[in-house]
Amino acid sequence: MGRRHWGMVIVGLILVVLSGRQLGTAMQGLEAIIIRDADPPLHFVQPRNTLPLSRPLVLVGHGFSGSTVIMRGFALTLAHGGYTVAVWDFDGHGSNPRPMASGALLENAEAVLEQATMLGFGDPERMAILGHSMGSGVALQFGQAHPDTAATIAVSPVAQPVTPELPRNLLLMAGALEPAFLRNAEERMAEGGAPTGDPIGDPAAGTARKLAVIPGVEHLSILFSPAAHAEALDWLDATFGPQPGAREYADRRVVWYGAGLLGFLLVGAGLAPLVAGPRPADAPRRPLWRRLAALIGGALGATLLLWLSSLAGLDLRGLLGVQVGGYLLVWFGLAGLLSLLGLWVRPGLPSWRAVLGGLLAFAVLWLGVGMLGQWVWLPWLLIPRRLVLWLPGALLLLPWFLAAGEMVAGARPFGRAGWWLAHSIVLAGSMFLAMQLNSELGFIILTLPLFPIILALHALAAGPLRGRWPFALSGALFVSWLLLAVFPM
């Protein structure tokens, strides 16, 4: 390793340490209590040294493929604002091992309220609920089933009907860049008695209604928007009054998360010479048209094969016991095998250097995207029921990443960028086609913006290690873990 590589390691470690310290400051002045054996598992966040029943209680529910972690921006903002906040994992999500079942989500929220009341967290006589996407439907149901709920906040709302009377003090929020959910919000506002979306009613009487459009965000980024967090806090303060001990807080954790992720990528690039093999000599490669045809043909072939299987009765949404994520794992397996056949490639066994290189790139992504991400946006440590699927999932993913590694092998930086773009377009196009053929896979559309980001991060981590096998092993291990961490059982 040369001086430049040691410099990358040192700068990377500095960024990682700085990121960790800054992420930890978000909890200053707060206390977090985790009740792992509750059903569902739940977390409480509130100002430190809070007396029992002294503060309004706010229930905060996540969306499909979400968790307590992704709602932490709202939870931290409201807790700094003086509220006791309860967040939980719906059935099938995060640390909750119970499979997701239709109709049980409202029961989850009611169980959280019962647990909070029994344990003395917050004042159940002064209670509100906030939910995002799928959780917004639960919040709107809850606010009508429990008329004593003082305020209901639905973020990126679904098509759950409301009335002019219930829920009380209804705030609807949607991002300016999520038109379908913005239409839902406008329709709910009209049902709730405020057809123009302008604020109406009296919070003291429970009749307030408002539609807040958050600029510059879509379905996922709205969860990290300080403007959205501030809207929710202002609405609760209008309902309950400003809380004693409230502190100014703007959630900037995603910025420090990005700094830490960059740090891990720098450390990985700096250590790469320790395990990277010699730069391979230029070898004849298959024509560009053939590589593109293999990539596209494999993707389309897998999509059509799975669609035909669904016509024969196969439940695509619940493959491998993982909703939507199981479909993606099986799709990658089929698409990878078809792409390798199109290239007519039978990869040899990896060298020990290639295995070590793949493990190094995987470790960089596992720590940078995942462990740091557990502070910001996803529950990374898999519960046993998910963990047993990790290596089988990686085996399914391996052919696709071997094919992609074969296509990008030997390319210069601009060429690698071009293959990343082609890879992203083919994946997004195939997933869009799958949604058109199978309506039960519709949720994939909300995850499409993440595919190019994940592929780019993997390319950055694996690129310095050179070769097909480090690229394939790290991609298969990492993406399998990611899919199992995100999608519900």
Side-chain angles (χ1 to χ4, degrees):
M1 282 175 50
R3 185 175 301 175
R4 179 171 67 90
H5 290 95
W6 280 115
M8 294 169 72
V9 171
I10 292 169
V11 171
L13 289 174
I14 291 172
L15 285 174
V16 169
V17 171
L18 183 61
S19 170
R21 288 176 61 89
Q22 291 298 320
L23 288 172
T25 63
M27 283 297 297
Q28 285 183 353
L30 304 178
E31 61 178 348
I33 303 94
I34 303 175
I35 315 294
R36 300 188 189 279
D37 57 355
D39 184 14
L42 65 133
H43 298 195
F44 293 99
V45 186
Q46 62 185 11
R48 197 175 298 280
N49 301 322
T50 294
L51 295 174
L53 304 181
S54 64
R55 296 183 181 277
L57 172 67
V58 185
L59 310 182
V60 174
H62 61 77
F64 186 84
S65 289
S67 69
T68 58
V69 181
I70 204 167
M71 301 305 293
R72 197 169 287 168
F74 279 103
L76 289 170
T77 300
L78 300 182
H80 279 295
Y83 295 88
T84 293
V85 182
V87 289
W88 69 95
D89 290 332
F90 281 115
D91 286 352
H93 292 76
S95 61
N96 191 333
R98 187 190 298 273
M100 184 178 174
S102 176
L105 302 181
L106 178 59
E107 295 175 9
N108 284 169
E110 292 171 333
V112 170
L113 175 60
E114 182 180 343
Q115 288 279 335
T117 302
M118 181 179 68
L119 296 170
F121 284 102
D123 183 355
E125 300 298 322
R126 295 184 295 158
M127 186 263 297
I129 187 168
L130 179 152
H132 171 248
S133 193
M134 177 186 78
S136 75
V138 175
L140 295 172
Q141 284 181 287
F142 188 97
Q144 295 175 80
H146 299 267
D148 54 341
T149 305
T152 296
I153 302 173
V155 183
S156 303
V158 296
Q160 175 65 42
V162 301
T163 73
E165 293 78 29
L166 292 174
R168 299 171 62 205
N169 289 338
L170 176 61
L171 171 64
L172 299 176
M173 263 194 278
L177 305 181
E178 50 173 353
F181 291 91
L182 183 54
R183 284 195 299 273
N184 283 341
E186 292 167 345
E187 290 169 5
R188 302 291 79 73
M189 260 304 85
E191 292 172 351
T196 66
D198 295 329
I200 64 167
D202 178 11
T207 59
R209 265 100 176 89
K210 180 182 177 182
L211 169 58
V213 180
I214 309 301
V217 295
E218 41 70 61
H219 196 69
L220 294 179
S221 54
I222 193 172
L223 296 175
F224 306 100
S225 167
H229 304 158
E231 282 282 355
L233 179 59
D234 290 346
W235 193 253
L236 294 177
D237 283 349
T239 300
F240 299 108
Q243 297 303 301
R247 301 170 56 191
E248 290 285 337
Y249 175 78
D251 190 55
R252 307 291 184 191
R253 291 169 306 131
V254 71
V255 175
W256 292 109
Y257 169 64
L261 176 54
L262 174 61
F264 275 113
L265 290 171
L266 286 172
V267 170
L271 296 177
L274 295 177
V275 293
R279 183 176 297 278
D282 291 337
R285 287 184 293 168
R286 287 158 180 77
L288 176 63
W289 69 265
R290 176 145 178 204
R291 286 179 283 157
L292 280 173
L295 189 71
I296 297 170
L300 290 178
T303 303
L304 294 174
L305 281 173
L306 286 171
W307 170 61
L308 291 173
S309 299
S310 72
L311 296 180
L314 183 65
D315 176 20
L316 296 186
R317 184 182 172 96
L319 285 176
L320 305 180
V322 184
Q323 297 200 33
V324 181
Y327 171 86
L328 293 173
L329 289 171
V330 174
W331 181 91
F332 274 113
L334 287 172
L337 290 174
L338 293 173
S339 294
L340 287 177
L341 285 172
L343 289 169
W344 204 246
V345 168
R346 189 175 68 179
L349 293 176
S351 67
W352 68 270
R353 278 184 175 273
V355 172
L356 289 178
L359 292 176
L360 173 61
F362 168 66
V364 166
L365 294 167
W366 193 88
L367 292 168
V369 175
M371 284 302 289
L372 270 182
Q374 186 147 297
W375 294 36
V376 179
W377 74 284
L378 80 166
W380 191 241
L381 298 179
L382 301 180
I383 61 175
R385 187 173 177 187
R386 297 174 182 273
L387 187 60
V388 297
L389 294 171
W390 172 47
L391 290 178
L395 287 174
L396 285 171
L397 285 156
L398 188 59
W400 176 264
F401 280 98
L402 274 172
E406 180 72 26
M407 293 167 192
V408 78
R412 304 303 182 201
F414 281 114
R416 289 198 296 269
W419 277 112
W420 162 79
L421 181 60
H423 196 174
S424 300
I425 292 172
V426 168
L427 275 182
S430 300
M431 293 302 110
F432 186 78
L433 175 61
M435 290 185 297
Q436 303 306 307
L437 297 174
N438 308 279
S439 59
E440 67 269 29
L441 299 175
F443 177 78
I444 291 177
I445 195 169
L446 301 178
T447 66
L448 288 184
L450 294 178
F451 280 111
I453 297 172
I454 296 303
L455 294 176
L457 291 173
H458 171 241
L460 289 171
L465 294 157
R466 300 191 290 264
R468 301 162 180 82
W469 275 105
F471 183 92
L473 287 171
S474 58
L477 291 169
F478 170 64
V479 175
S480 175
W481 191 292
L482 180 65
L483 293 177
L484 292 170
V486 169
F487 288 100
M489 306 295 290

